[in-house]
Amino acid sequence: MAKAWFTEKHTPHAGITLALGGRLFDQKSPYQHVEVVETVEYGRMLLLDGCVMVTDRDEFVYHEMITHPALLAHPKPEQVLIIGGGDGGSVREVLRHRAVRAVHLVEIDQVVIDASRQFFPALAKDLDDSRVKVLVKDGFDHLDNHQSAYDVILVDSMDPVGEAAKLFTSPFFAKVKAALKPGGIAVFQSESPFYHTDILRQLLASMKTIFRHVAPYLAAIPTYPSGLWSFTFASDAVNPLTCTLRSEPALADGLKYFHPDLFRAAFVTPNYVRQITPK
Ligand code: SAM
């Protein structure tokens, strides 16, 4: 029987193609088309509007790199907010840190949470932890009545389309800053530095008008556009290029990508990224 293939175009002329082993879930939510497929090479894969969000085989890179740098750079990360991230992977990594007292997960789409619970148990396993509060609402609005409430805010969103578009705007960055406690740190997933250079340039420039320290860092994620992904660290108090990292014994084993030396290395970016990074 002819093999079925999945293709996501990253540009009009380039993309990724994966052999499929089956289709497991397919539902249109009020916000997006949510699908779960089985791939031969990467295991189960979550798609939103036809774009790869998570695969069993490489999700560890994204989830370890959006969480641990901020949590280790903060002296006492007790209150954590995750905007987006309905798959649960960021929650799992955040709860590895013993200092964490409470995690608010603010995901706009209940269907993403339900599909993750059903098809990605290794990701969603900590969504019912007593320290976690899952709120199904728009992250942009959630910040309005949470002034100075969080030590760390992680924006685990997706491409700047649909409901996620507003999460790449200055008004949102200003709200994130206002929701941070003194000494707070925010990290945003900030797209591919290779294919989305303009999005990253604009994001860095507008963030720099709001936060004292703004620095992109990179990670290699095979199923994401160009295989190279960026995250942006923003804080008034903590400079990621000079800060001291907390030691967290719980991280010693069990991580497949991140280790403290990689923290420094990830902020050493290639020239074409340095050139778009405000000083
Ligand atoms: N790792 C993935 C990536 O980089 O493409 C993102 C994973 S996560 C699934 C992204 C989540 O953000 C989606 O579940 C989406 O529903 C959610 N989201 C988008 N806009 C949102 C908003 N305004 N408020 C809260 N969640 C939002």
Side-chain angles (χ1 to χ4, degrees), residues 31-32 46 48 52-54 62-63 83-87 106-109 112 137-140 156-159 161-167 189 191 224 229:
Y31 303 101
Q32 53 212 341
L46 172 68
L48 297 180
V52 177
M53 292 294 126
V54 162
Y62 178 91
H63 290 120
I83 293 179
D87 51 77
V106 176
E107 162 60 59
I108 201 167
D109 195 338
V112 171
K137 59 191 287 195
D138 189 335
F140 190 85
D156 180 356
S157 72
M158 47 207 277
D159 300 333
V161 294
E163 295 296 333
K166 67 191 103 165
L167 308 182
Q189 81 81 13
E191 302 288 288
Y224 279 17
W229 209 245

Side-chain angles (χ1 to χ4, degrees), residues 36-215:
V36 178
V37 297
E38 189 72 50
T39 70
V40 178
E41 194 62 50
Y42 285 87
R44 286 183 177 176
M45 182 162 76
L46 172 68
L47 303 170
L48 297 180
D49 290 340
C51 298
V52 177
M53 292 294 126
V54 162
T55 81
D56 282 340
R57 189 166 168 199
D58 67 359
E59 60 83 8
F60 68 94
V61 183
Y62 178 91
H63 290 120
E64 290 181 15
M65 290 303 280
I66 195 168
T67 53
H68 301 306
L71 283 148
L72 286 179
H74 193 286
K76 207 165 182 224
E78 295 185 339
Q79 311 292 329
V80 178
L81 168 64
I82 300 168
I83 293 179
D87 51 77
S90 294
V91 166
R92 179 193 68 202
E93 296 304 317
V94 165
L95 291 180
R96 291 179 187 271
H97 296 259
R98 291 165 310 162
V100 173
R101 297 268 167 280
V103 182
H104 287 176
L105 177 71
V106 176
E107 162 60 59
I108 201 167
D109 195 338
Q110 181 71 51
V111 177
V112 171
I113 298 171
D114 297 343
S116 300
R117 283 180 186 280
Q118 188 178 354
F119 297 101
F120 297 93
L123 284 173
K125 69 181 184 67
D126 293 320
L127 289 177
D128 298 322
D129 184 286
S130 59
R131 291 163 290 179
V132 177
K133 198 171 171 188
V134 177
L135 301 149
V136 180
K137 59 191 287 195
D138 189 335
F140 190 85
D141 303 332
H142 174 75
L143 296 172
D144 291 341
N145 47 15
H146 285 81
Q147 310 301 309
S148 298
Y150 300 106
D151 298 303
V152 172
I153 297 178
L154 307 173
V155 182
D156 180 356
S157 72
M158 47 207 277
D159 300 333
V161 294
E163 295 296 333
K166 67 191 103 165
L167 308 182
F168 289 76
T169 63
S170 293
F172 176 68
F173 303 148
K175 285 186 181 198
V176 167
K177 177 169 172 175
L180 286 171
K181 289 184 192 173
I185 297 170
V187 162
F188 304 75
Q189 81 81 13
S190 49
E191 302 288 288
S192 162
F194 190 76
Y195 280 148
H196 312 129
T197 315
D198 286 342
I199 293 174
L200 183 56
R201 181 202 317 273
Q202 280 157 27
L203 180 145
L204 293 171
S206 52
M207 267 191 206
K208 192 63 182 172
T209 65
I210 293 163
F211 292 95
R212 187 153 160 250
H213 303 293
V214 174

